[in-house]
Structures are given as C-alpha cells and as structure tokens.
Amino acid sequence: ERLGWCVVGLGSFALNQVIPAIARSQTARLTALVSGNADKAARVAEHYGVPDAAIYDYENFDEIADNDDIDVVYIVLPNGLHAEYTIRAFEAGKHVMCEKPMANTVEECRQMIAASERADKKLMIAYRAHFEPHNERALQMKEDGEFGDVKMVLASTMRTLDLSRPRDEWRVLRDLAGGGSTMDIGIYALNGALYFLGETPTALVASIANPPDDVRFREVEDMLTAQLTFPSGALVNLASAYTLNENRIQLLGTEGTGLLDPATSYSGNELRQTGPDVGTRIVPVSEPAARQFTGEIDHLSRAVMEDFEPRTPGAMGLRDVGLIMAMYASAERNAWVTLNPDGTMAEG
Ligand code: NAD
C-alpha cells in the first residue's frame, strides 16, 4: 500500500531530493503538486505522472481537501510560509511533513501543533539526519556504551550562502527565513547534539558575529556559537556560519570518541571511532547516506498507516525553534538564558 503525497513548493530541494525520494519510496506515490509556476508544475507533473487536475497553486490550495488521492502534504516552502501552509493542509484534512526549521517563531509552532491535534492528523518535521544510516549507527554505538559516558558534543554545521543561487535569495530576508545560518544549517548541529544526548538543555549562552559590510547579513546572522548545559552535566558547543564550510558532529565519551564528518551531507557521510581498544577506525555502515530521504518519507507513511507518533514530531521542531530564539536573545543580551523543559526561554 502506498499513500498519496502532495509536494508544496517546487524549489531546489523539492525537485532534487524530495520528489525523487517519493518516486523511489515503497510507501509513497506522488499524487499532487502545489506551485506558483504553472509551466514548471506541468513539466514536473508530466515527468512523474501526476494528473493535470492534481496541480494546485497557492490560491486554490485549499481544494486539496476534495482530492482523496492526497494523504500527506509535504511543505518545502521558505521557512516563513511553513506555518500557514501546514495549518491549511491540516484544515484540508491531510497529514503533514514540514521542512526544517518548523517555523519562524515558537508561537507559529504552537499553532501548527494545535492544528494537527484539531485535525487528528500526524505532523512530522523533516529532520532527515534521524534516518541517515551513519547517524543512526553513531547513536546505536553511543547507546551500546562504545564511547563510554558521552559528556560533551562538539557540533559545527556551516555552508557558504551564495546569492547567485535563487534558493539562497530568500534566506537573507528575515520575514522568509526567520533568521540566518542557525535557522538554516546550524539547526543540524543543534538537533544532532540533542539527538545524541537524548536530553534537552537547561541553559545556554550564544554569540553572533556578522561581517559589517556584507549585504547578505543586513537582516540575518552569519556566525553563531553557543554553549549549552544539560541536566546530566553534559556540555555542548555549537557553531554555525554562512561564510565558512564545516559539517561535523563529535561525541566525546569517557572511553572514546565518535566523529561524524561529514555528519549531515546528502551523501558521503562518514563515521570514525577513536578509542583505546580500536585506535582510530572508520566504522563500516552498510547503507548509503541517501537512504535518509526515503527513510523519512517511509517513516511518516508508516506512522499514518500504523498510527504512531513520528520520531521527529512537532514538539521537536518547536523545541529547536525555541532554542534558536533563546540563542538570539542570549547574543542580544550578552547573557546566559535559562530554558523551560520544552526548549523555550524561561524568562521574558
Ligand atoms: P527554494 O527557494 O529552492 O524553494 C522554495 C520554493 O518556494 C521555490 O520554488 C519558490 O518559488 C517557492 N515559493 C513560494 N512562495 C514563495 C515566496 N513567497 N517567496 C519565495 N519563494 C516562494 O528553497 P529550498 O532550498 O528548496 O528550501 C525550501 C525549504 O526546504 C526550506 O524550509 C529549507 O529550510 C528546506 N530545506 C531542507 C533541506 C534538508 O536537507 N532537509 C535542504 C534544503 C532546504
């Protein structure tokens, strides 16, 4: 059995990763498209066998309610549009996969979760690294105690923002992006660190630095570093940037180290283990990194068919948006910020 999936937004990630992964998936089939560009939508529809009647635009989007071939709606729009289209999809009676970051504000995240509950439909945030074989292997090794007690995570996820590419144009605009490198790419370091530690931080402090004369950073941040403290006593250092290139997550345990480098690429991720018994070795991982894309799609299809809560639910997306907002507040105030159990700031 395959569920019908509708993709909203035919940009770079949707066309190059999401739609091909739906086409490869054993649990999903592409049954509808939503786009503002009718010519592009018609081309994509023809290529993937989507009927013309199942092509929607942003005005008639709500008519997806009448299409029984749509079970799940996958939101691949700029961040500032995630909340509106997620809520409209729930009101149309569909399940939703929403890209990261979940939304621009904690309030929007709360509204999305409430809409999911009202509709009694699943909400999953597309944190693909949770379905990436090297990341899954590293978590398994950590849980098996192969690194001893993991007490620190050092995580840096960065990429160069390139305004000559259309997909990066909206990322410099606060209304559409919600923030800078941390919302876009640093969120992988944050989400990964919490995934490996299995706990939510109690406090954080962050710093931001922007090159003064760079047009890219008038509205959103370039570099951010943050320190996070945890109930277990663990410490995390995060780094994010739009002018540097790095993608690594390091788990430091009392009996060794696990290093994902690259950690969250689309392909070619690598896991290295260092320890007294093994020296340094590359950990063999049988499945390719690209399995992450079908992995997350299959996970939500199964969550719908078997009625379970997805591993990366709305509460996780809210937590991460809350933590990023706390980082921005900390950098602004030049002070530590205390956190609620859900990841939001404890004080004003
Ligand atoms: P993109 O610019 O290539 O795609 C966005 C699409 O939204 C475009 O087709 C654009 O035309 C459309 N759009 C509709 N209304 C718009 C409006 N008002 N303003 C601007 N564009 C509008 O961007 P992308 O890189 O594909 O990113 C889309 C989403 O996917 C983002 O939320 C991003 O964070 C996420 N993403 C996730 C990953 C991942 O690995 N999980 C990778 C890339 C992007």
Side-chain angles (χ1 to χ4, degrees):
E1 190 196 350
R2 287 173 202 245
L3 297 184
W5 283 59
C6 169
V7 172
V8 185
L10 300 181
S12 147
F13 190 64
L15 293 178
N16 296 317
Q17 308 300 336
V18 170
I19 291 176
I22 292 172
R24 290 195 305 274
S25 161
Q26 302 295 307
T27 65
R29 60 195 180 96
L30 185 67
T31 55
L33 301 170
V34 180
S35 172
N37 182 331
D39 291 341
K40 180 165 61 177
R43 279 199 308 276
V44 176
E46 184 176 5
H47 190 263
Y48 287 96
V50 174
D52 285 346
I55 301 175
Y56 302 85
D57 59 29
Y58 299 105
E59 277 68 51
N60 66 15
F61 174 82
D62 307 289
E63 292 171 16
I64 63 170
D66 303 326
N67 187 335
D68 291 339
D69 279 341
I70 302 174
D71 300 295
V72 182
V73 172
Y74 194 150
I75 309 291
V76 208
L77 292 167
N79 310 338
L81 301 171
H82 289 181
E84 177 187 344
Y85 286 91
T86 294
I87 291 166
R88 285 169 68 177
F90 282 130
E91 287 170 351
K94 310 302 182 184
H95 303 276
V96 175
M97 175 82 93
C98 180
E99 265 306 328
K100 44 55 68 178
M102 181 171 172
N104 281 5
T105 66
V106 169
E107 185 47 37
E108 284 181 336
C109 295
R110 291 208 173 101
Q111 290 166 3
M112 294 160 80
I113 292 169
S116 152
E117 288 169 353
R118 269 199 310 275
D120 194 22
K121 300 289 172 191
K122 309 288 179 203
L123 171 58
M124 173 166 163
I125 309 306
Y127 284 123
R128 57 182 170 77
H130 291 240
F131 306 90
E132 197 283 313
H134 302 77
N135 282 259
E136 290 180 311
R137 182 83 186 91
L139 180 64
Q140 190 60 53
M141 291 174 74
K142 184 251 174 188
E143 286 181 347
D144 291 346
E146 293 195 44
F147 310 126
D149 182 14
V150 172
K151 298 171 62 166
M152 278 195 177
V153 179
L154 308 178
S156 309
T157 44
M158 310 177 170
R159 71 177 186 92
T160 302
L161 190 79
D162 180 356
L163 280 185
S164 71
R165 294 183 300 205
R167 70 180 166 95
D168 279 353
E169 284 174 12
W170 61 265
R171 284 178 163 90
V172 303
L173 305 173
R174 178 160 288 273
D175 283 352
L176 284 172
S181 74
T182 319
M183 287 292 265
D184 187 53
I185 182 87
I187 194 169
Y188 285 102
L190 170 66
N191 184 268
L194 272 51
Y195 170 64
F196 290 117
L197 287 176
E199 50 180 345
T200 301
T202 48
L204 62 80
V205 67
S207 301
I208 286 175
N210 295 321
D213 299 321
D214 192 321
V215 294
R216 293 174 292 179
F217 307 113
R218 289 195 180 133
E219 297 187 17
V220 302
E221 85 281 359
D222 172 18
M223 298 196 293
L224 178 144
T225 62
Q227 296 176 47
L228 289 74
T229 60
F230 289 80
S232 67
L235 294 177
V236 164
N237 258 5
L238 302 181
S240 176
Y242 262 158
T243 51
L244 302 168
N245 287 286
E246 183 69 282
N247 184 334
R248 57 172 12 225
I249 299 177
Q250 192 170 22
L251 313 179
L252 298 155
T254 48
E255 283 160 45
T257 298
L259 173 64
L260 287 158
D261 183 9
T264 63
S265 291
Y266 295 169
S267 64
N269 293 328
E270 198 167 277
L271 173 60
R272 241 172 295 163
Q273 177 185 17
T274 302
D277 298 335
V278 297
T280 295
R281 66 165 190 137
I282 291 176
V283 178
V285 174
S286 54
E287 288 189 275
R291 211 222 49 199
Q292 64 193 309
F293 297 107
T294 47
E296 65 180 358
I297 289 162
D298 291 341
H299 183 75
L300 181 53
S301 286
R302 284 205 318 278
V304 169
M305 293 188 280
E306 296 163 24
D307 193 19
F308 60 82
E309 171 91 334
R311 252 152 66 185
T312 56
M316 179 180 284
L318 182 153
R319 177 199 71 189
D320 293 351
V321 170
L323 290 169
I324 292 171
M325 295 305 135
M327 289 177 204
Y328 291 162
S330 168
E332 179 84 27
R333 298 174 196 172
N334 202 14
W336 280 86
V337 167
T338 307
L339 302 163
N340 293 317
D342 69 355
T344 61
M345 273 190 288
E347 359 94 292

